[in-house]
Amino acid sequence: PNSSTTSAAPTPAAAAAMPLAAEPDDTHGEGENQQLLITTKGGPGLEGLVVGSYCHDVLIRGGRVVGETLGGAAAFVSNVLDAASPRDAALNGTAPFVVVAKVGHDFVYASAPAPARHPPLVCASPTTSFHAQFSETAASAHAPDRELRRVRACDPIYPADLPDRRFAYGLAVGVAGEVLPETLEQMIRLCRAVLVDAQALIRAFDGDGAVGHVALDDTPYARLLPRVAFVKASEEEAPYVGVETARRWCCVIVTEGRDGCRLYWNGGEARVMPFPAVQVDPTGAGDSFLAGFATGLLWGLSATDAALLGNFFGAAAVSQVGVPTFHSKMLQVCTISLVQLLVQSDWEESFCSC
């Protein structure tokens, strides 16, 4: 089966959904976002807002540069959302979401698919750049497989940089501290529901730019948690998020690499099986997962089933270097596999309840 629930509490199907016909307001009650349900069901105006900058990524192994690619969560997220967008939107060159990203005049990937479709704001500061140092040996299932260092940082994204209109959903996907607390708060005001990548909240950088983490409770973002629908964290980030506390306010998703992912909500949890993949470059796996997860919710899937779609896109991301290419045949295979797994899961649940 695609998921196994470890509590008799209701599944998080309602945990993240955005009743898109409803008018958003500025005063979501504590835990209210857990009742939001994303569903397209033919409804118009499902525009999303993606906030996070594009980056220059340099991949290093054994002290030698082995690749230079477009990076930044916004690139991976918009890549998945574009691939999953309606075909007529792709043909018309439009997208049902807006990307707010910043780069410097030195940005070298302006013609790449994601930035070309969703141009960034250009500022005087240099483009954010990361160096990813990979170990020579294969990482274990639970150990970090790279060391990240922020070499340069572009300007942060300010509330005034966001479009002043309502959105069905928002994805806060900063990687270098660019999504400020006040910017996240503005997203919450503008969007019916907001999904957040934990790295946007808890990353810290030492004097050499090495990436570390701080406890979410010790950040100015903590007070906004009750107004967020979902927080996605890696296994490494989860202890800093404080899953047991955070799950009281929103649905927390912890990705576990080759072991799939787990969802935690107030009263229950579920494990979602992985898609197999041969890892070439882990960069962007979590970003692609989150975008695939949001896509599943927009398609009307429950949160656990949407997480399965997220696992597919995460697996597809690690099988390629840099921002992956999603061919139509790959997406067809994904759809068939997803349907088979969902049917199998539904059959097993019905059989067990007899």
Side-chain angles (χ1 to χ4, degrees), residues 17-279:
M18 313 167 183
L20 302 173
E23 179 67 14
D25 57 50
D26 296 348
T27 56
H28 297 316
E30 293 181 351
E32 180 182 335
N33 275 319
Q34 289 188 311
Q35 302 307 315
L36 298 174
L37 176 62
I38 302 178
T39 174
T40 54
K41 307 248 174 156
L46 305 176
E47 189 179 26
L49 175 64
V50 177
V51 180
S53 287
Y54 301 132
C55 304
H56 292 159
D57 280 356
V58 179
L59 313 180
I60 302 169
R61 190 183 298 274
R64 183 172 59 90
V65 173
V66 295
E68 298 186 30
T69 68
L70 169 65
F76 289 90
V77 166
S78 60
N79 184 53
V80 171
L81 295 179
D82 278 331
S85 292
R87 190 167 179 269
D88 56 349
L91 293 174
N92 294 332
T94 61
F97 62 96
V98 172
V99 175
V100 179
K102 283 188 176 178
V103 299
H105 290 282
D106 60 338
F107 185 56
V108 299
Y109 297 107
S111 60
R117 293 193 195 102
H118 314 285
L121 303 171
V122 180
C123 57
S125 300
T127 301
T128 297
S129 177
F130 282 93
H131 285 185
Q133 175 72 55
F134 293 89
S135 101
E136 291 285 3
T137 57
S140 72
H142 304 292
D145 45 17
R146 60 179 179 165
E147 293 180 2
L148 277 180
R149 186 164 65 91
R150 187 183 66 179
V151 179
R152 285 183 291 275
C154 196
D155 289 349
I157 298 172
Y158 298 103
D161 294 322
L162 307 184
D164 188 17
R165 63 177 185 271
R166 300 296 194 180
F167 292 89
Y169 66 97
L171 291 169
V173 291
V175 294
E178 70 269 31
V179 181
L180 303 174
E182 54 266 36
T183 303
L184 178 58
E185 189 163 22
Q186 179 68 355
M187 289 183 67
I188 292 169
R189 293 191 185 105
L190 296 175
C191 302
R192 187 66 184 107
V194 174
L195 297 81
V196 182
D197 195 319
Q199 65 185 358
L201 312 180
I202 63 172
R203 274 192 173 180
F205 307 91
D206 68 16
D208 293 325
V211 177
H213 302 99
V214 296
L216 178 57
D217 279 345
D218 296 333
T219 73
Y221 299 99
R223 65 180 178 82
L224 299 174
L225 202 60
R227 300 167 64 191
V228 166
F230 289 96
V231 172
K232 189 279 297 179
S234 68
E235 223 175 0
E236 180 187 4
E237 295 164 338
Y240 298 92
V241 170
V243 173
E244 291 306 312
T245 299
R247 71 193 295 181
R248 295 185 224 160
W249 308 117
C250 64
C251 184
V252 181
I253 309 163
V254 178
T255 56
E256 299 178 335
R258 66 196 70 179
D259 295 326
C261 66
R262 292 182 185 271
L263 283 74
Y264 301 87
W265 64 99
N266 192 15
E269 65 184 74
R271 178 181 178 273
V272 181
M273 67 184 295
F275 272 83
V278 176
Q279 179 170 298

